Amino acid sequence: MYPVKENLLKVKQSLHESIELVAVSKFHPKEYIEEAYAAGHRVFGESREQELKQKHQELPQDIKWHFIGHLQTNKVKYIAPYVTMIETVDSIRLLREIEKQAAKVERVIDVLLELHIADEETKSGMSLDECRELLADGEWKTMSHIRIRGIMMMASNVDNDEKIRQEFITAADFFDEVKAKYFADDDSFSERSYGMSGDYLIAQECRSTMVRIGTTIFGPRVY
Ligand SMILES: *Cc1c(COP(=O)(O)O)cnc(C)c1O
């Protein structure tokens, strides 16, 4: 058995207590999640709707599931009844669908706006200008079943701490910009989700409020 509990505690000890840890359990068996759950952890991240559905059905109901993968609009209805946060909103279309499905099940779903700041094409999310447009358009203000809680991003996968730091700072500055413009009076717009296994200590120095850590807790994923 992989030492999930020990790893989890080590990660927690290295994080400031105000930072939310999302344990990224994608591709790992439910036993690993149970191990972390037994150690008191409740917040887990998954990236595929089918896998999340199965784990949600089999595991304790007080787990808070964060969806962190690319989300197709036709899959929103399946996770809307139970997901705690959707971290990967990258279009107004997706936001509309979340609003619609959340309304159907009479919930308010927390979401993050996913930003593409890294130069890698493989990374998803909106450019800063696309995100500015989404907010300036204002349609989101009419949506009462979503709550925009902040921003999310992934840094470039490079061996260059300074570059990673710059990308995190770009995200934090962007957060401040939109906070001042649209959410100054909204205390719930408070989250900056960045930092993964390879860069979460840098993220923590760059004002991250939420880190998403898989490999360091659960070991390498078997795809
Ligand atoms: C897989 C994944 C993570 C976790 O990555 P690790 O390097 O295993 O910590 C974090 N965020 C997102 C969006 C992911 O897809």
Side-chain angles (χ1 to χ4, degrees):
M1 181 80 188
Y2 203 78
V4 167
K5 198 169 180 174
E6 287 83 344
N7 294 341
L8 177 72
L9 295 179
K10 266 187 231 154
V11 168
K12 282 199 164 158
Q13 275 164 13
S14 66
L15 284 175
H16 190 272
E17 60 186 26
S18 66
I19 297 187
E20 174 113 85
L21 170 62
V22 180
V24 176
S25 48
K26 65 186 187 196
F27 294 93
H28 290 294
K30 74 176 182 10
E31 288 74 19
Y32 282 30
I33 301 175
E34 282 166 341
E35 184 83 1
Y37 184 91
H41 201 71
R42 293 293 180 271
V43 184
F44 294 88
E46 289 283 337
S47 60
R48 297 184 302 174
E49 180 274 318
Q50 282 287 325
E51 182 178 348
L52 173 55
K53 177 179 163 188
Q54 180 141 18
K55 286 174 172 169
H56 163 69
Q57 283 170 356
E58 293 174 351
L59 288 159
Q61 294 302 300
D62 62 342
I63 287 180
K64 295 186 170 83
W65 296 106
H66 285 214
F67 195 87
I68 63 165
H70 179 68
L71 183 57
Q72 290 170 281
T73 47
N74 62 352
K75 299 285 170 67
V76 173
K77 58 179 174 292
Y78 302 120
I79 65 173
Y82 64 86
V83 74
T84 294
M85 181 181 270
I86 297 173
E87 296 205 19
T88 44
V89 170
D90 62 357
S91 70
I92 189 67
R93 255 184 81 233
L94 180 57
L95 201 56
R96 271 183 208 132
E97 183 64 15
I98 297 169
E99 165 67 18
K100 181 176 155 193
Q101 298 302 334
K104 271 191 194 164
V105 292
E106 297 180 345
R107 297 189 69 218
V108 177
I109 297 179
D110 282 352
V111 303
L112 299 179
L113 302 172
E114 184 182 4
L115 305 175
H116 182 139
I117 291 171
D119 351 289
E120 289 150 42
E121 277 301 320
T122 51
K123 300 269 192 302
S124 45
M126 293 175 275
S127 69
L128 301 188
D129 277 339
E130 285 167 340
C131 190
R132 285 185 184 106
E133 275 170 37
L134 184 151
L135 289 167
D137 167 69
E139 185 182 342
W140 59 275
K141 291 179 190 165
T142 67
M143 300 178 178
S144 53
H145 299 88
I146 54 119
R147 190 163 65 147
I148 301 180
R149 297 289 318 279
I151 55 111
M152 178 273 207
M153 60 81 80
M154 259 188 278
S156 293
N157 185 16
V158 292
D159 202 8
N160 178 345
D161 288 3
E162 205 38 51
K163 179 166 174 57
I164 292 168
R165 194 179 301 277
Q166 280 310 320
E167 292 177 358
F168 288 155
I169 290 171
T170 299
D173 288 348
F174 184 79
F175 173 94
D176 289 344
E177 175 191 322
V178 300
K179 172 81 180 167
K181 202 160 176 188
Y182 300 104
F183 300 98
D185 300 324
D186 180 355
D187 290 341
S188 68
F189 188 87
S190 58
E191 302 301 330
R192 295 176 290 274
S193 175
Y194 44 76
M196 310 180 10
S197 289
D199 56 22
Y200 72 91
L201 293 176
I202 305 174
Q204 168 162 258
E205 291 169 9
C206 300
R207 304 171 56 217
S208 172
T209 63
M210 187 178 281
V211 293
R212 310 174 308 266
I213 301 180
T215 310
T216 303
I217 298 171
F218 299 111
R221 288 178 283 276
V222 181
Y223 293 106

